Amino acid sequence: MATYRELLSKARASIAEIDFEKARKMLSDNAACTLIDVREADEFENGAIPGALHIPRGFLEGRIENTVPSRDTPLVLYCASGSRSALATKSLQELGYTKVVNLAGGFNGWKDNGGPFVMPKVLSPDQKRRYQRHTLIPEVGEAGQLKLLNSSALILGAGGL
């Protein structure tokens, strides 16, 4: 039976990895490139690369086909250090994604090299409980609920009409 290190080493030998500079160039030059953050929700809430889609590692295989239906879309995956995303990259290759690469060093390496990052807007724990039924609706989700919370409406009365 293989150890985690052996499994990770085997995955890294069969995938493409890019460093910070290549990733930054690839993301700036290729508008069709999709950046996917495979970290857990609490990690994502503490900062993310701008434009990244958040799909936690545990849900990746189940959600990727709806999120990125074309298997020829260039994908860059990252986690905190590049280990979980290496395994995720291998998994997506096995699902038939042909242009998927791992960001070596992950989000920590990105930040250490001065890469830009943002603090994503997320629902508070109270809001998650309150709007749980709304966020379960695929057409709304957490992103849609955040838009609703940040919106406003003007209601005018027309008197006795």
Side-chain angles (χ1 to χ4, degrees):
M1 185 179 303
T3 66
Y4 170 75
R5 293 204 185 281
E6 291 169 341
L7 186 65
L8 181 59
S9 178
K10 186 176 178 182
R12 281 209 162 111
S14 65
I15 63 168
E17 288 192 301
I18 58 173
D19 62 12
F20 168 77
E21 290 299 329
K22 286 182 183 176
R24 188 162 61 176
K25 183 168 178 23
M26 183 177 181
L27 293 170
S28 66
D29 291 350
N30 191 350
C33 181
T34 302
L35 184 63
I36 300 178
D37 185 328
V38 299
R39 297 175 299 156
E40 297 300 319
D42 60 327
E43 295 173 290
F44 180 75
E45 291 171 6
N46 289 317
I49 299 173
L53 299 176
H54 180 236
I55 308 174
R57 175 70 186 100
F59 298 103
L60 183 64
E61 292 83 357
R63 294 183 182 169
I64 191 66
E65 291 174 341
N66 290 330
T67 307
V68 184
S70 173
R71 285 178 162 73
D72 293 327
T73 302
L75 302 174
V76 177
L77 273 59
Y78 75 91
C79 63
S81 66
S83 298
R84 285 175 286 173
S85 54
L87 296 170
T89 300
K90 173 77 170 146
S91 183
L92 290 186
Q93 284 179 343
E94 291 171 354
L95 286 174
Y97 286 85
T98 58
K99 298 177 182 173
V100 57
V101 296
N102 181 40
L103 175 59
F107 183 65
N108 295 336
W110 179 267
K111 286 193 324 182
D112 290 346
N113 284 293
F117 67 96
V118 295
M119 301 301 285
K121 291 185 178 184
V122 294
L123 297 174
S124 71
D126 287 339
Q127 289 172 325
K128 286 180 183 180
R129 277 192 301 280
R130 181 174 184 181
Y131 301 114
Q132 180 179 13
R133 288 185 290 169
H134 303 179
T135 59
L136 290 175
I137 300 169
E139 292 81 7
V140 177
E142 191 166 325
Q145 186 61 46
L146 284 166
K147 285 181 184 178
L148 288 170
L149 289 171
N150 291 324
S151 64
S152 57
L154 176 63
I155 301 173
L156 297 173
L161 294 177

